[in-house]
Amino acid sequence: MTGNRLRIFLLGLFNGVSLGFITKWFEELSGIGVYHLLLNVDFIPLVGGVPWNEAWLFSFHLFISLFITWSYVYMVRKRKIVRRLSFALLFIIPAVLLYFPLSFLSKTGVPLPFDLFAFSLWAFSHFVYALFLPLSIQK
Protein backbone atom coordinates (compact mmCIF):
# COMPACT_ATOMS: atom_id res chain seq x y z
CA MET A 1 0.00 0.00 0.00
CA THR A 2 1.26 3.45 -0.79
CA GLY A 3 1.44 6.02 1.97
CA ASN A 4 -1.80 7.79 1.09
CA ARG A 5 -3.76 4.55 0.64
CA LEU A 6 -2.45 3.30 3.96
CA ARG A 7 -3.49 6.59 5.58
CA ILE A 8 -7.03 6.26 4.16
CA PHE A 9 -7.25 2.61 5.25
CA LEU A 10 -5.99 3.32 8.78
CA LEU A 11 -8.26 6.32 9.23
CA GLY A 12 -11.25 4.27 8.02
CA LEU A 13 -10.41 1.64 10.63
CA PHE A 14 -9.77 4.25 13.33
CA ASN A 15 -13.08 5.98 12.60
CA GLY A 16 -14.97 2.69 12.58
CA VAL A 17 -13.45 1.55 15.86
CA SER A 18 -14.07 4.98 17.42
CA LEU A 19 -17.70 4.99 16.31
CA GLY A 20 -18.11 1.50 17.74
CA PHE A 21 -16.59 2.51 21.08
CA ILE A 22 -18.65 5.69 21.30
CA THR A 23 -21.94 3.90 20.59
CA LYS A 24 -21.04 1.06 22.95
CA TRP A 25 -20.21 3.57 25.67
CA PHE A 26 -23.51 5.40 25.06
CA GLU A 27 -25.36 2.09 25.23
CA GLU A 28 -23.70 1.13 28.51
CA LEU A 29 -24.38 4.53 30.08
CA SER A 30 -27.95 4.95 28.88
CA GLY A 31 -29.21 1.42 28.34
CA ILE A 32 -30.33 2.48 24.86
CA GLY A 33 -29.19 0.00 22.20
CA VAL A 34 -27.39 2.33 19.76
CA TYR A 35 -24.38 -0.01 19.59
CA HIS A 36 -26.71 -2.93 18.98
CA LEU A 37 -28.31 -0.92 16.18
CA LEU A 38 -24.89 -0.15 14.69
CA LEU A 39 -24.08 -3.86 14.42
CA ASN A 40 -27.56 -5.13 13.63
CA VAL A 41 -28.06 -7.19 10.46
CA ASP A 42 -31.08 -9.29 11.49
CA PHE A 43 -33.34 -7.74 8.83
CA ILE A 44 -31.03 -8.52 5.87
CA PRO A 45 -32.17 -11.60 3.93
CA LEU A 46 -29.85 -14.61 4.29
CA VAL A 47 -27.29 -12.68 6.37
CA GLY A 48 -29.78 -11.92 9.14
CA GLY A 49 -30.54 -15.57 9.75
CA VAL A 50 -26.93 -16.41 10.62
CA PRO A 51 -26.00 -16.25 14.32
CA TRP A 52 -22.97 -13.95 13.89
CA ASN A 53 -20.84 -13.22 16.91
CA GLU A 54 -19.95 -9.65 17.89
CA ALA A 55 -16.49 -9.80 16.26
CA TRP A 56 -17.99 -10.65 12.86
CA LEU A 57 -20.67 -7.99 13.18
CA PHE A 58 -18.03 -5.44 14.13
CA SER A 59 -15.93 -6.43 11.13
CA PHE A 60 -18.95 -5.78 8.88
CA HIS A 61 -19.21 -2.36 10.49
CA LEU A 62 -15.48 -1.73 9.85
CA PHE A 63 -15.91 -2.70 6.21
CA ILE A 64 -18.66 -0.10 5.87
CA SER A 65 -16.44 2.47 7.58
CA LEU A 66 -13.68 1.76 5.06
CA PHE A 67 -16.18 2.14 2.22
CA ILE A 68 -17.38 5.49 3.60
CA THR A 69 -13.82 6.78 4.04
CA TRP A 70 -12.74 5.73 0.53
CA SER A 71 -15.94 7.24 -0.93
CA TYR A 72 -15.34 10.50 0.91
CA VAL A 73 -11.76 10.74 -0.36
CA TYR A 74 -12.88 9.91 -3.91
CA MET A 75 -15.56 12.61 -3.89
CA VAL A 76 -13.26 15.26 -2.40
CA ARG A 77 -10.60 14.57 -5.01
CA LYS A 78 -12.96 14.21 -7.97
CA ARG A 79 -14.90 17.40 -7.16
CA LYS A 80 -11.82 19.23 -5.83
CA ILE A 81 -13.69 20.09 -2.65
CA VAL A 82 -11.86 22.64 -0.53
CA ARG A 83 -14.22 22.84 2.46
CA ARG A 84 -13.51 19.29 3.55
CA LEU A 85 -14.96 19.45 7.05
CA SER A 86 -18.22 20.96 5.83
CA PHE A 87 -18.40 18.32 3.14
CA ALA A 88 -17.67 15.55 5.68
CA LEU A 89 -20.55 16.74 7.87
CA LEU A 90 -22.88 16.74 4.87
CA PHE A 91 -21.46 13.46 3.62
CA ILE A 92 -22.30 11.66 6.87
CA ILE A 93 -25.95 12.80 6.95
CA PRO A 94 -27.20 9.70 5.07
CA ALA A 95 -25.56 7.49 7.73
CA VAL A 96 -27.23 9.56 10.44
CA LEU A 97 -30.62 9.24 8.73
CA LEU A 98 -30.17 5.47 8.40
CA TYR A 99 -31.15 5.39 12.05
CA PHE A 100 -34.82 5.46 11.06
CA PRO A 101 -35.00 2.58 8.57
CA LEU A 102 -32.53 0.49 10.57
CA SER A 103 -34.51 0.85 13.78
CA PHE A 104 -37.79 0.31 11.94
CA LEU A 105 -36.64 -2.85 10.10
CA SER A 106 -34.84 -4.44 13.04
CA LYS A 107 -36.32 -7.57 14.57
CA THR A 108 -34.40 -7.40 17.84
CA GLY A 109 -33.94 -5.00 20.75
CA VAL A 110 -32.83 -1.74 19.20
CA PRO A 111 -34.16 1.75 19.90
CA LEU A 112 -37.59 2.61 18.57
CA PRO A 113 -37.65 4.56 15.30
CA PHE A 114 -38.84 7.79 16.88
CA ASP A 115 -36.88 7.71 20.13
CA LEU A 116 -35.36 11.20 19.88
CA PHE A 117 -32.81 10.63 22.63
CA ALA A 118 -31.53 7.47 20.91
CA PHE A 119 -31.45 9.33 17.60
CA SER A 120 -29.44 12.13 19.28
CA LEU A 121 -26.87 9.63 20.54
CA TRP A 122 -26.68 8.04 17.08
CA ALA A 123 -26.37 11.40 15.32
CA PHE A 124 -23.74 12.75 17.72
CA SER A 125 -21.56 9.66 17.36
CA HIS A 126 -21.76 9.84 13.55
CA PHE A 127 -20.93 13.54 13.51
CA VAL A 128 -17.84 12.79 15.62
CA TYR A 129 -16.98 10.23 12.93
CA ALA A 130 -17.33 12.96 10.29
CA LEU A 131 -14.95 15.28 12.16
CA PHE A 132 -12.08 12.90 11.45
CA LEU A 133 -12.84 12.21 7.78
CA PRO A 134 -10.83 15.21 6.49
CA LEU A 135 -7.71 13.74 8.11
CA SER A 136 -7.79 10.98 5.48
CA ILE A 137 -6.56 13.43 2.83
CA GLN A 138 -3.00 14.67 2.94
CA LYS A 139 -2.49 18.34 2.35
Side-chain angles (χ1 to χ4, degrees):
M1 252 184 230
T2 64
N4 199 37
R5 287 183 181 168
L6 179 61
R7 179 184 183 97
I8 296 166
F9 178 80
L10 292 175
L11 190 72
L13 288 180
F14 171 80
N15 267 356
V17 168
S18 297
L19 179 61
F21 280 132
I22 291 169
T23 55
K24 186 153 183 116
W25 185 63
F26 282 161
E27 185 168 315
E28 289 179 8
L29 287 176
S30 69
I32 297 172
V34 287
Y35 176 72
H36 187 84
L37 181 63
L38 186 72
L39 303 186
N40 190 28
V41 295
D42 69 359
F43 57 90
I44 301 172
L46 301 174
V47 175
V50 176
W52 302 102
N53 64 26
E54 185 178 0
W56 274 107
L57 293 171
F58 199 77
S59 68
F60 297 156
H61 160 70
L62 291 178
F63 177 77
I64 292 168
S65 177
L66 289 170
F67 176 77
I68 290 170
T69 304
W70 283 98
S71 299
Y72 169 80
V73 170
Y74 175 79
M75 292 294 295
V76 165
R77 288 183 178 159
K78 183 167 177 69
R79 304 278 182 202
K80 296 179 176 50
I81 295 171
V82 178
R83 303 182 120 201
R84 294 177 181 162
L85 178 57
S86 298
F87 181 67
L89 293 169
L90 288 173
F91 191 77
I92 208 66
I93 287 175
V96 171
L97 295 177
L98 270 176
Y99 170 86
F100 298 105
L102 291 175
S103 62
F104 180 75
L105 293 171
S106 177
K107 298 174 184 172
T108 59
V110 298
L112 296 172
F114 297 104
D115 181 337
L116 292 180
F117 185 67
F119 175 70
S120 298
L121 297 174
W122 177 268
F124 177 80
S125 60
H126 282 79
F127 283 123
V128 169
Y129 180 101
L131 292 175
F132 290 94
L133 277 176
L135 298 177
S136 60
I137 300 175
Q138 292 179 334
K139 302 211 183 218

